[in-house]
Amino acid sequence: MDFEYTPDEQAFREEVRSFLAENLPPVKERDSSFLKTWLSKVREKGWVGFSWPREFGGSDGGIIEQTILKEEMALAKAPPLGTSFMGLAWVGPGIMQYGTEAQKKKFIPGILDSKVIWCTGYSEPNYGSDLASIQCKAVLEGDEYVVNGQKIWTSGAPFAQWIILLTRTKFDPEVKHQGITCLLVPMDAPGIEVRPIENMAGDRHFAEVFFTDVRVPVENRLGNEGDGWRVTVSALANERSSIGEVTQMFDKLDTLKALVKETTLRGRPAAQDPKVRRTVATFEAKIAAMKYNGLRYLTKQLKGEPLTSETSVNKLHRASLEIEMDDFAVSLTGQAGLQLKGGDQAVDNGSWAKSSLNWPNVVIGGGTPNIQRNIIAERILGQPKD
Amino acid sequence: MNFGFTEEQSLLREQVTRFMRETCTMERVRSMVTTENGFAAELWDQAAELGWLGLITPETWGGIGLKWVDLTVVLEETGRGLSPLPIASQMISTAAILRLGSDAQKAEWLPMLARGDRCTIGLYDEANWIHPDAVTLTGSRSSDQIILNGTKPFVPDAMAAEFYLLAVRVDGELGLAAVTREQVEVHSQPTMDQTKPTGSITLKDVTLPVEYVLPMSEADLEFLNDVGAVAVTAEMVGAAEAALTMTSEYAKERIQFGKPIGQYQGVKHRLADIYVDVESFKSLLYYAAWCVDDAPEELPRAISLAKGYASDAFADIGINGVGLHGAIGFTAEYDIQLYLKRSKWARPMFGDSDHHLDRVATLGGL
């Protein structure tokens, strides 16, 4: 065991740090014009799609360098490296792996240059966790698919330009996974209607998306017909290391500790209350566990062993921390903790109250905790499938 | 960056696994604990021959000079099979002599321990308080001798040991007294976990030359408790994994309502949660073990995170392990109950979760 970085790795970390010192103003001074400059500068550095092959405009960044980049970005509270989170996380990798040459040429630059925002059409009203049963229909007519059906909980749909869409092309009830085909569809195609849904935090990020006789040229199919499930699963398996998340969680823990230190509980400093101290330390233990779990899994990757379902461990920790930390802050501060932004006694300007209503973004999207438990029990422990 | 084990460490793990599978089997463990001192000399001799008892002893003093990370590999595997061999006590004693002994004492005692002369250590006199003030066994000084009177309770592996290192106070100052079996009375303190025989050591006018009470600061005491916690948590990792495997296998075979019970989410999700906990305190423990030799300034926080997490998590695993087995898990015949007992034993050892999490809070600025 050692936690040393090689001189090259250390030099890369220094490069990232000095770039950030030069180009990243304090959080309060970051306006929209800063964001535009930021995006073009990180693009110039080759840090957008850093792990992607050079031939597609990436930098062939190694696993350790990716980790360093994410860690330093998170430490500096830097904004994202692109505007299309989903484009960078799985649409781009999916296209590079399964796309035609024409698709690569057409779509990859838009993602890297932050010109095109993607959303993801997976969940349907009746099929969320049971994703492989989706029913949104695509029928091949000549050289076009005709799409009819509905998606829901589609994050980013109100402002995305393209959608990666899972459709059903085989309707035999015996065929489930093999009947799914993946299409790339412009959101302004005739027949698409987006109806934003207000969430419990009052935001309108996700939406219902209706498809009525939407015509999609066959060259916009990603992978072969019937390959949609494989395309989706392996693109999602471009699993990011959780190191950036861990840094953010430690940061949030510091903010929480600061809140505890300035809070009085029943006439005494909250920081002296045994239950409060224990709760905060429990959060720290879970976050630290995420960190060292992540480093163990990273070591596995560096040794060339593929990661399988271990990443579900940290997803479960993350899910419970997302819920519990905000909930604890709100509960600790009693009635003041309930006040939203602008309230005269709002705690940290209502940010805890707000985020305590936003946990489903992280906890439900990408597989609910119970799905993660199924994955661990079935794929790691070998329990029979549900 | 490498948070994994080396080839040599993997070979060491295989060696211990083979010893546990072929020699220190569960059948053997069950018979060992019914003997008077819960010990088996021929197994201990094998452990000594294999070099495990001198694992962290420098070569100068008859050991093989490895680190706590290597020791973790051994304790994880002996813990997996609930071995009653007092390796952890021997290692904590070794760490104490390395840290507090004079050069002459190291030269005399360390080779003895590496060869297999059995030594254990008793730190606190209170049942549930890890604090310098909880060392109350006192001695008085008369010219160049120290006279000890009183009883040190809760000494792990007391029955099998031949030498004892006991935390004492002499004129208010902390010290670690080195005494032999012949100088003291040993009384068994039977606990629910027979694989961890515990006893009290009574001293009646035990007279020692001053140099046999090793000077010990509060920081030294804290360090010894920390490495004790590393040793116990390493055993907990192995034992918890064994309990999970045992329960998981049972869930695949046990049919109810026409299906293996592992197919029901009430069962499989609990198994998944156990997996998450074991993976997590294992990672925290590995980091703490690394800190002992390579980043001692980070050891207090690192081990408190690990033991703070593991204490209650393992206790839950013990309960859920028995519970998921149903009535058969409640029988003496099935091994899962032995793991429940070990989890209860391990919880307060070198500090429970309340102790360690409160320390995490303090170290983290609260």
Side-chain angles (χ1 to χ4, degrees):
Chain A
M1 278 175 201
D2 76 77
F3 296 88
E4 302 291 311
Y5 291 91
T6 66
D8 281 355
E9 290 160 2
Q10 200 51 43
F12 179 67
R13 190 184 290 279
E14 292 308 323
E15 185 191 339
V16 179
R17 281 187 184 165
S18 61
F19 173 87
L20 289 171
E22 217 168 284
N23 294 293
L24 191 66
V27 177
K28 280 177 194 150
E29 294 166 29
R30 298 175 192 169
D31 52 21
S32 57
S33 77
F34 151 73
L35 199 64
K36 220 172 151 196
T37 323
W38 165 260
L39 289 171
S40 74
K41 280 193 173 154
V42 289
R43 175 78 181 107
E44 220 169 275
K45 290 294 279 182
W47 291 344
V48 189
F50 179 66
S51 64
W52 297 10
R54 280 183 202 283
E55 53 168 320
F56 301 127
S59 293
D60 272 322
I63 295 171
I64 282 273
E65 286 77 11
Q66 292 171 43
T67 307
I68 290 170
L69 183 63
K70 280 175 189 155
E71 193 177 7
E72 291 301 323
M73 289 287 164
L75 279 171
K77 301 191 182 67
L81 298 176
T83 50
S84 183
F85 165 73
M86 297 176 210
L88 288 166
W90 55 79
V91 180
I95 291 172
M96 286 187 292
Q97 197 176 349
Y98 293 98
T100 62
E101 285 313 306
Q103 287 172 340
K104 289 172 193 167
K105 258 197 204 120
K106 181 170 175 188
F107 295 117
I108 298 293
I111 294 172
L112 290 175
D113 296 333
S114 287
K115 295 234 166 72
V116 178
I117 295 177
W118 285 78
C119 63
T120 303
Y122 287 176
S123 290
E124 296 182 4
N126 291 323
Y127 304 100
S129 290
D130 181 15
L131 189 62
S133 294
I134 52 131
Q135 294 298 318
C136 180
K137 190 158 60 160
V139 178
L140 191 59
E141 284 180 12
D143 55 3
E144 286 181 329
Y145 285 98
V146 180
V147 180
N148 279 288
Q150 184 197 342
K151 295 288 168 180
I152 195 168
W153 323 126
T154 314
S155 297
F159 45 85
Q161 285 99 40
W162 282 78
I163 185 168
I164 182 167
L165 185 69
L166 285 189
T167 61
R168 179 156 298 285
T169 43
K170 274 204 187 77
F171 304 94
D172 180 350
E174 298 290 300
V175 182
K176 197 170 163 184
H177 298 77
Q178 286 77 23
I180 295 174
T181 298
C182 185
L183 302 176
L184 307 173
V185 188
M187 289 297 282
D188 59 2
I192 295 185
E193 188 197 345
V194 178
R195 292 186 203 155
I197 303 169
E198 185 174 321
N199 70 23
M200 71 172 166
D203 299 325
R204 298 165 78 85
H205 291 157
F206 58 15
E208 294 176 287
V209 186
F210 296 89
F211 298 83
T212 311
D213 291 332
V214 177
R215 305 190 85 84
V216 182
V218 85
E219 65 256 30
N220 279 10
R221 187 183 66 211
L222 183 59
N224 294 323
E225 193 169 295
D227 247 1
W229 186 256
R230 199 159 61 95
V231 170
T232 309
V233 169
S234 67
L236 281 175
N238 276 297
E239 194 52 68
R240 60 213 189 280
S241 94
S242 49
I243 199 86
E245 289 171 23
V246 168
T247 310
Q248 286 166 8
M249 303 302 279
F250 271 126
D251 197 59
K252 190 165 175 177
L253 182 72
D254 284 343
T255 315
L256 185 62
K257 282 182 184 171
L259 174 66
V260 166
K261 281 193 222 172
E262 65 190 34
T263 301
T264 305
L265 200 61
R266 293 179 285 278
R268 289 164 50 86
Q272 291 174 8
D273 182 86
K275 196 173 139 210
V276 168
R277 294 167 65 79
R278 192 184 152 106
T279 305
V280 175
T282 306
F283 295 148
E284 185 164 341
K286 277 190 192 172
I287 301 169
M290 284 179 71
K291 174 176 173 179
Y292 294 107
N293 285 338
L295 288 175
R296 270 205 299 134
Y297 303 149
L298 175 67
T299 299
K300 237 184 121 179
Q301 282 180 299
L302 289 170
K303 287 180 178 166
E305 299 168 39
L307 279 192
T308 52
S309 309
E310 296 98 330
T311 49
S312 291
V313 170
N314 277 357
K315 284 182 188 159
L316 280 167
H317 278 315
R318 173 96 195 271
S320 72
L321 285 164
E322 284 291 335
I323 297 170
E324 288 164 13
M325 286 174 78
D326 294 318
D327 187 57
F328 171 74
V330 168
S331 147
L332 176 74
T333 48
Q335 305 207 46
L338 306 175
Q339 294 196 6
L340 298 169
K341 191 175 176 175
D344 63 351
Q345 298 215 35
V347 177
D348 290 341
N349 203 19
S351 60
W352 296 104
K354 172 89 174 175
S355 53
S356 76
L357 298 175
N358 254 326
W359 55 264
N361 270 338
V362 175
V363 174
I364 311 287
T368 66
N370 281 344
I371 290 292
Q372 306 301 340
R373 290 187 181 97
N374 274 6
I375 289 172
I376 290 172
E378 291 168 13
R379 297 191 203 158
I380 297 177
L381 300 175
Q383 296 301 324
K385 285 177 81 73
D386 279 359
Chain B
M1 228 316 297
N2 177 2
F3 193 36
F5 292 98
T6 62
E7 195 74 15
E8 289 79 11
Q9 286 161 343
S10 302
L11 290 171
L12 176 63
R13 188 184 296 278
E14 275 172 37
Q15 189 185 50
V16 186
T17 310
R18 198 178 325 123
F19 172 80
M20 292 303 294
R21 193 180 54 233
E22 293 170 3
T23 311
C24 190
T25 60
M26 193 53 87
E27 202 183 349
R28 192 67 209 270
V29 168
R30 279 174 177 269
S31 73
M32 212 188 299
V33 299
T34 60
T35 62
E36 196 188 336
N37 56 8
F39 179 71
E42 64 279 20
L43 266 59
W44 186 250
D45 292 345
Q46 280 190 42
E49 273 163 38
L50 290 162
W52 302 344
L53 306 183
L55 205 73
I56 57 162
T57 309
E59 288 173 86
T60 341
W61 293 307
I64 45 179
L66 295 178
K67 294 181 172 185
W68 274 76
V69 171
D70 304 276
L71 176 58
T72 291
V73 170
V74 174
L75 294 175
E76 210 182 323
E77 296 311 316
T78 54
R80 196 180 303 277
L82 300 182
S83 162
L85 296 176
I87 299 177
S89 295
Q90 190 87 348
M91 294 300 110
I92 304 162
S93 302
T94 301
I97 295 167
L98 274 169
R99 187 172 171 109
L100 306 178
S102 67
D103 286 347
Q105 287 165 338
K106 289 181 199 168
E108 186 188 350
W109 295 342
L110 290 172
M112 290 167 58
L113 264 63
R115 277 198 309 268
D117 288 358
R118 299 186 297 279
C119 186
T120 188
I121 188 164
L123 297 179
Y124 301 100
D125 297 271
E126 297 274 340
N128 55 359
W129 196 24
I130 306 294
H131 191 275
D133 291 350
V135 177
T136 53
L137 177 62
T138 47
S140 57
R141 187 170 172 145
S142 102
S143 67
D144 53 357
Q145 291 188 321
I146 287 168
I147 302 158
L148 296 168
N149 273 297
T151 295
K152 177 68 69 180
F154 319 123
V155 178
D157 306 304
M159 315 306 294
E162 301 157 286
F163 300 93
Y164 302 89
L165 298 169
L166 305 176
V168 295
R169 280 196 180 273
V170 179
D171 302 332
E173 296 294 314
L174 282 172
L176 194 64
V179 297
T180 65
R181 176 85 181 218
E182 291 72 32
Q183 292 172 299
V184 300
E185 287 171 22
V186 183
H187 299 282
S188 171
Q189 294 183 301
T191 70
M192 64 171 81
D193 182 7
Q194 287 183 293
T195 66
K196 285 288 184 184
T198 302
S200 64
I201 312 296
T202 298
L203 305 96
K204 290 178 183 160
D205 287 328
V206 174
T207 306
L208 302 173
V210 277
E211 64 268 24
Y212 275 67
V213 179
L214 285 44
M216 177 167 71
S217 66
E218 291 191 355
D220 293 329
L221 177 64
E222 192 178 354
F223 173 81
L224 294 180
N225 193 72
D226 282 345
V227 293
V230 170
V232 166
T233 312
E235 291 179 333
M236 291 163 84
V237 168
E241 269 186 358
L244 170 59
T245 305
M246 209 172 274
T247 310
S248 178
E249 292 309 306
Y250 182 77
K252 289 178 204 170
E253 287 161 16
R254 172 70 176 168
I255 309 286
Q256 285 292 279
F257 306 104
K259 292 179 190 172
I261 59 170
Q263 200 165 341
Y264 301 109
Q265 292 193 346
V267 173
K268 69 160 61 159
H269 285 186
R270 202 166 288 190
L271 293 171
D273 287 337
I274 292 174
Y275 180 82
V276 170
D277 281 341
V278 180
E279 278 288 288
S280 297
F281 66 73
K282 177 158 121 176
S283 296
L284 291 171
L285 182 268
Y286 287 170
Y287 180 65
W290 180 82
C291 286
V292 177
D293 294 293
D294 290 281
E297 70 287 356
E298 288 180 42
L299 175 63
R301 177 174 172 270
I303 186 55
S304 280
L305 286 167
K307 183 76 175 32
Y309 193 129
S311 288
D312 291 345
F314 183 30
D316 281 347
I317 293 167
I319 291 170
N320 280 318
V322 167
L324 290 170
H325 275 77
I328 195 111
F330 185 37
T331 62
E333 187 192 340
Y334 258 60
D335 292 334
I336 188 69
Q337 51 99 5
L338 299 174
Y339 288 86
L340 176 144
K341 290 171 180 168
R342 175 61 73 89
S343 75
K344 302 267 196 225
W345 176 86
R347 184 161 50 186
M349 290 308 293
F350 302 102
D352 62 10
S353 64
D354 279 336
H355 169 78
H356 284 289
L357 291 173
D358 195 71
R359 192 171 179 227
V360 166
T362 303
L363 294 170
L366 285 190

